[in-house]
Amino acid sequence: MKPLIQRYSDSDRINHWIVAIAFVLAGLSGLAMFHPAFFSLTGLFGGGAWTRTLHPYIGIVMFTAFVSMAKRFWKHNVMVPVDYEWLKLLPDVLTNREDRLPKIGKYNAGQKLLFWMLVVALPTLFVTGLIFWRAWFAEYFPIPVIRLAALLHAVAAATLITGILVHIYAAIWIKWTVGAMIRGSVTHKWAKAHHPLWYREVTGQPATPPGQE
Amino acid sequence: MSSLQSLDIKRRSATTLPSTQARETLEVAKLIDVSKCIGCKACQVACSEWNDIRGDIGTNVGVYDNPADLGPKTWTVMRYSEVEEKKGEEMAFEWLIRKDGCMHCAEPGCLKACPSPGAILQYSNGIVDFIEENCIGCGYCVAGCPFNVPRISKQDSKAYKCTLCSDRVAVGLEPACVKTCPTGAITFGSKEDMIDHAAERVVDLKERGYANAGLYNPAGVGGTHVMYVLKHADKPEIYHGLPKDPQISATVGLWKGVMKPLAMLAMGLTALTGFFHYVKVGPNDAEAHPDEPEDGNGPHVIRSSGPGQMEGKGNVNPGEQA
Ligand code: HEM
Ligand code: SF4
Ligand code: SF4
């Protein structure tokens, strides 16, 4: 059997999926209150009052788990010059012409930008969410601040959800990526094709992306 | 509260299609003539009696306002302001007393903000009513209201405010406060009649030296169904902070206005774009690449029982086709 390359440790994966599950629940419960078209989602949480009650706690779980995940992944997501070149070749990225792209490390520029979007969005959601949380803290803030918090919370949530939709799609589109986050490992081919510099780093072997031989 | 039937509902919170429009009832209004009010609080008591609610006993904060604020069990509060204002040529001390409570706006900010369908209704007679059984307790109405009126109960997390006695009005009675007021400072009737009545009062007050007397029926919220006759209509703020030009705040307008459809569009288009990208371009599958020699030094990279086994061979990378 071909040896696999470890990409995520057990705790990395558990951490990621806590964030992901909390995101789905926070997103669905938040959307229920976001627009009447989604109000029926309150049924998933036991009705409107339950949705309103649970949502902030789920959000706090997501935020806390994200802080831990961000610490793990931070250094791998720092933008480097090659990332900007990669971004310029986005049309090739989108048409699966990976052979034309510069060699990149553990994450590509798209993944990194998503990471930094999360780094901005989650603290925003956390702080604004606390401010307009009627059950606990809203009474301590003047009404204009509450209004602003509600607006920013909704904008941050919409940005986050849109970004995560791209993230989820990318994981489906780039085959075997979901497996990497579920079982933690990837094949040599996968690593060489999508993250050649990272491949070289972890295996010590040169990686010429397939198609360039 | 609700005692009016669905045919009388003009607007409903978190509802995107129009409510019943066939029947148009008479638009009503309550007119509070501040110049006739003696601050006896009979209306506060009547409200408490009729609605059978008693605000919790608070502490004396050094003013006559009692309780000190509106609350889930206090839907109207008399506000006392001590001011010195010009009367004719001289300055005169005045005790301004205003009955505070929901204004029953024609364009209610509370209703605009509320995310729960049917938790806030506006009847065709103009009354804005909270339907507590549909309320989820989020407090958005507090953010939406330009008059700082709704209060969320700590006991049950429901929003409460003056109903304008919608239950009494539905059966042809005037609100309890109106019935009780011993000086006739509060009157109730069709909005048109109340505006006419106010005009007479304003003429009277002007004759008595209050050159700036006027009706408070702010256009910024489309007019209100609780209106005041003020001696100093040019400065409503001196009546315990009655806003001069109340409007649904621009922040709430953004939050509940353009932002929502834009966000829905962004999320919807993103999901659709992903789907059609897959339909057009297909997956990017590293395992589907034909095995290539590994630059001479990839001995353990052998095609085998990895996930690639399940792979259909039909996936040709467009990069390779080119
Ligand atoms: C970080 C901690 C979070 C806190 C403390 C929080 C708190 C809140 C609160 C208090 C509300 C008002 C309704 C209620 O009382 O339940 C709310 C609404 C909402 N939240 Fe959160 N939330 C958090 C995270 C999130 C996350 C991660 C998302 C998105 C995935 C999200 C999306 C939303 C949305 C869409 C709304 C409705 C906004 C609107 O009505 O315009 N929230 N949140
Ligand atoms: S005064 Fe406030 S609570 Fe009353 S109808 Fe207007 S917006 Fe709603
Ligand atoms: S607290 Fe109740 S009435 Fe107020 S906005 Fe929320 S659901 Fe609507």
Side-chain angles (χ1 to χ4, degrees), chain B residues 111-127:
Chain B
L111 191 148
K112 187 178 179 99
C114 178
S116 184
I120 303 183
L121 302 178
Q122 182 181 50
Y123 304 120
S124 56
N125 65 11
I127 294 179

Side-chain angles (χ1 to χ4, degrees), chain B residues 101-105 107-111 128 130 144-147 149-150 161:
Chain B
C102 175
M103 301 295 287
H104 297 273
C105 311
E107 300 290 339
C110 57
L111 191 148
V128 177
F130 285 9
C145 172
F147 295 95
V149 164
K161 68 162 190 70

Side-chain angles (χ1 to χ4, degrees), chain A residues 2-60:
Chain A
K2 177 167 72 177
L4 298 172
I5 302 172
Q6 172 98 7
R7 188 162 162 87
Y8 294 110
S9 72
D10 296 358
S11 68
D12 286 343
R13 275 147 36 225
I14 290 170
N15 195 159
H16 171 273
W17 289 110
I18 292 174
V19 173
I21 292 168
F23 164 79
V24 170
L25 296 176
L28 291 176
S29 55
L31 284 177
M33 296 175 282
F34 181 80
H35 195 279
F38 292 130
F39 192 78
S40 58
L41 292 173
T42 53
L44 298 174
F45 299 88
W50 268 117
T51 306
R52 182 271 305 160
T53 307
L54 291 174
H55 170 86
Y57 296 102
I58 304 169
I60 287 175

Side-chain angles (χ1 to χ4, degrees), chain B residues 2 4-28 104-108 111-112 118 120-129 131 166 191 221-225:
Chain B
S2 165
L4 289 160
Q5 61 150 302
S6 61
L7 263 191
D8 297 313
I9 294 168
K10 183 177 169 194
R11 225 186 305 204
R12 204 170 168 269
S13 56
T15 303
T16 38
L17 291 174
S19 295
T20 49
Q21 307 289 320
R23 183 152 83 196
E24 279 182 32
T25 39
L26 186 71
E27 209 180 334
V28 297
H104 297 273
C105 311
E107 300 290 339
L111 191 148
K112 187 178 179 99
I120 303 183
L121 302 178
Q122 182 181 50
Y123 304 120
S124 56
N125 65 11
I127 294 179
V128 177
D129 219 353
I131 310 300
S166 55
K191 176 145 183 179
V221 292
T224 51
H225 297 90

Side-chain angles (χ1 to χ4, degrees), chain A residues 1-4 31-39 47-49 52-53 93-100 132-136 139 143-144 146-151 154-155 157-158 161-163 165-166 169 172-176 187-194 199 203 205-208 210-211 213, chain B residues 14-16 115-117 135-140 142-146 148 152 154 157-158 249 251-252 254-256 259-260 263-264 266-267 270-271 274-275 277-278 281-295 297-298 300-305 307-308 310-311 317-320 322:
Chain A
M1 159 147 182
K2 177 167 72 177
L4 298 172
L31 284 177
M33 296 175 282
F34 181 80
H35 195 279
F38 292 130
F39 192 78
R52 182 271 305 160
T53 307
V93 175
L94 291 174
T95 47
N96 294 346
R97 294 176 185 190
E98 240 171 347
D99 49 304
R100 301 190 185 175
F132 85 133
W133 193 353
R134 186 44 63 183
W136 294 108
E139 62 194 285
I143 288 174
I146 292 176
R147 290 175 180 148
L148 195 63
L151 173 65
V155 170
I161 294 170
T162 308
L165 284 172
V166 175
Y169 173 66
I172 297 170
W173 165 41
I174 311 293
K175 286 270 171 173
W176 318 117
T187 63
H188 284 244
K189 273 193 168 182
W190 187 95
K192 268 196 286 182
H194 304 310
Y199 175 75
T203 63
Q205 292 174 18
T208 311
E213 290 85 9
Chain B
T15 303
T16 38
S116 184
C135 169
I136 66 170
C138 61
Y140 287 9
V142 179
C145 172
N148 184 15
I152 315 292
K154 289 270 178 209
S157 292
K158 302 285 179 194
S249 119
T251 321
V252 174
L254 265 181
W255 170 38
K256 288 285 162 175
M259 199 276 288
K260 296 274 146 119
M264 298 287 277
M267 293 186 284
T270 305
F275 178 73
H277 179 265
Y278 201 86
V281 177
N284 179 342
D285 187 352
E287 296 293 329
H289 290 295
D291 263 331
E292 70 284 337
E294 288 297 320
D295 327 308
N297 58 356
H300 60 276
V301 182
I302 315 151
R303 180 155 194 88
S304 70
S305 62
M310 299 136 32
E311 191 45 42
N317 192 322
E320 294 169 337

Side-chain angles (χ1 to χ4, degrees), chain A residues 84-103:
Chain A
Y84 298 99
E85 270 174 64
W86 187 94
L87 278 177
K88 280 188 216 137
L89 297 174
L90 209 58
D92 289 327
V93 175
L94 291 174
T95 47
N96 294 346
R97 294 176 185 190
E98 240 171 347
D99 49 304
R100 301 190 185 175
L101 300 177
K103 287 185 184 153

Side-chain angles (χ1 to χ4, degrees), chain A residues 109-159:
Chain A
Q111 292 171 302
K112 289 180 181 180
L113 289 180
L114 179 92
F115 178 83
W116 296 114
M117 186 274 284
L118 290 172
V119 167
V120 175
L122 271 151
T124 307
L125 284 164
F126 180 67
V127 173
T128 57
L130 294 186
I131 293 174
F132 85 133
W133 193 353
R134 186 44 63 183
W136 294 108
F137 307 113
E139 62 194 285
Y140 303 113
F141 294 94
I143 288 174
V145 174
I146 292 176
R147 290 175 180 148
L148 195 63
L151 173 65
L152 291 179
H153 194 84
V155 170
T159 313

